[in-house]
Amino acid sequence: MKSQPIALVTGATSGIGEATAYRLQARNYLVFAAGRNPTALDTLRSRGLQARDLDVTDENAVARLVEEIQTEHGGVDVLVNSAGYPLPCPLEQVTLSDLRKLFETNVVATLHLSQLVLPDMRSRGAGRIITIGSTGGRFTSPGVGAYHIVKYGVEAFSLALRAEVAQFGVRVVLIDPTGVRTRFVESQLEATHSYPDDDPYGEFKRRYAQTTRALTEMPGLMIGADTVARAVVRAIEAKNPKPRYIVGASGTASVLARALLTDRMWDRVMTRGLKA
């Protein structure tokens, strides 16, 4: 009999993953907080979490960590897939290597981790797999097509897996936040860029950066990482969690608007202010 439940949280060195790790620790979980920032890992470790340096695309390293947890602590009770990152760039200019890396981190690694923890969860007839998606998996907008591609993939992964493993008592939940204000996002917004004169998307990129910055300054549009972490905890503790949760009023409004508007109408809304 375990003295406390075990949670494995990826992407735990910042943002949603970090906030989730601390919230689960406060609920008496033994939290394995995995990430790649050494300084942040030291901080997590100093606060009593089982911090682990982990590249989620390194299949052998991921397998070793899950085996360690299984051998020493009896397996993972809750997996929170939070590792991921955006890739703002017009699709014509996205390098295939960058897209592959994005897909490996956001989709393939998420599936791999789930595959590794599922056998033990099935044998116990219990477990939760929580994946951080995005309302960007419900609609598309210009300028971040690669991000939408992988978030649509995360959406499909979570919903399909949920239907497959529910028979074993394992619950799979997707968390779809609206824009989340994190240190990474803020650094991206504050960054200044110059574009070559011969870049056909130069003006588009400038307008995209201006529009994005203006939108994020609107009250209530973005939410904090801890708001998402609270939703993760609710999904973990719910007896019968919903398949997916939208977090943030602006996200709910965007998803509703996309359902109501035609494709042409949506395109006009999304490209407003981006055209020369």
Side-chain angles (χ1 to χ4, degrees), residues 81-127:
N81 291 304
S82 185
Y85 62 94
L87 180 61
C89 183
L91 279 171
E92 182 183 349
Q93 296 180 338
V94 170
T95 65
L96 297 185
S97 60
D98 282 346
L99 181 60
R100 290 188 182 100
K101 184 178 180 182
L102 189 72
F103 198 83
E104 287 283 342
T105 301
N106 285 270
V107 181
V108 177
T110 297
L111 172 59
H112 184 222
L113 274 155
S114 301
Q115 289 174 333
L116 291 174
V117 302
L118 270 168
D120 178 64
M121 289 182 175
R122 280 193 294 102
S123 70
R124 289 185 284 110

Side-chain angles (χ1 to χ4, degrees), residues 1-235:
M1 189 72 175
K2 293 182 182 179
S3 60
Q4 59 185 146
I6 310 298
L8 171 57
V9 182
T10 67
T13 52
S14 65
I16 297 169
E18 179 184 34
T20 298
Y22 284 128
R23 283 204 164 265
L24 290 176
Q25 181 191 39
R27 281 162 173 73
N28 195 42
Y29 278 80
L30 178 62
V31 180
F32 284 79
R36 301 188 65 185
N37 183 313
T39 302
L41 288 170
D42 286 342
T43 300
L44 291 165
R45 198 171 291 115
S46 71
R47 296 182 181 178
L49 287 86
Q50 297 292 317
R52 295 292 188 274
D53 186 350
L54 182 71
D55 177 353
V56 293
T57 66
D58 184 338
E59 295 181 12
N60 292 329
V62 171
R64 286 194 298 271
L65 176 57
V66 174
E67 184 179 6
E68 173 196 339
I69 298 171
Q70 175 67 42
T71 301
E72 298 182 8
H73 301 280
V76 175
D77 297 291
V78 173
L79 169 64
V80 181
N81 291 304
S82 185
Y85 62 94
L87 180 61
C89 183
L91 279 171
E92 182 183 349
Q93 296 180 338
V94 170
T95 65
L96 297 185
S97 60
D98 282 346
L99 181 60
R100 290 188 182 100
K101 184 178 180 182
L102 189 72
F103 198 83
E104 287 283 342
T105 301
N106 285 270
V107 181
V108 177
T110 297
L111 172 59
H112 184 222
L113 274 155
S114 301
Q115 289 174 333
L116 291 174
V117 302
L118 270 168
D120 178 64
M121 289 182 175
R122 280 193 294 102
S123 70
R124 289 185 284 110
R128 297 284 164 111
I129 296 175
I130 313 294
T131 300
I132 307 301
S134 168
T135 51
R138 308 283 197 100
F139 55 79
T140 59
S141 57
V144 282
Y147 179 74
H148 289 294
I149 288 170
V150 298
K151 287 305 182 182
Y152 267 73
V154 167
E155 198 92 3
F157 153 79
S158 188
L159 294 176
L161 184 66
R162 170 184 172 273
E164 292 172 353
V165 302
Q167 61 182 313
F168 304 116
V170 180
R171 299 291 177 258
V172 179
V173 180
L174 181 68
I175 305 294
D176 281 341
T178 187
V180 181
R181 191 175 297 281
T182 65
R183 292 188 295 271
F184 178 84
V185 169
E186 288 176 345
S187 67
Q188 292 290 301
L189 292 172
E190 292 167 0
T192 56
H193 303 279
S194 59
Y195 307 104
D197 292 338
D198 60 352
D199 183 351
Y201 291 97
E203 182 59 26
F204 171 86
K205 292 174 182 176
R206 282 187 286 271
R207 288 174 178 264
Y208 175 84
Q210 292 169 357
T211 301
T212 302
R213 193 173 293 111
L215 286 172
T216 58
E217 291 172 354
M218 293 176 60
L221 190 68
M222 298 186 74
I223 58 177
D226 194 59
T227 299
V228 186
R230 289 199 300 270
V232 172
V233 171
R234 286 197 300 273

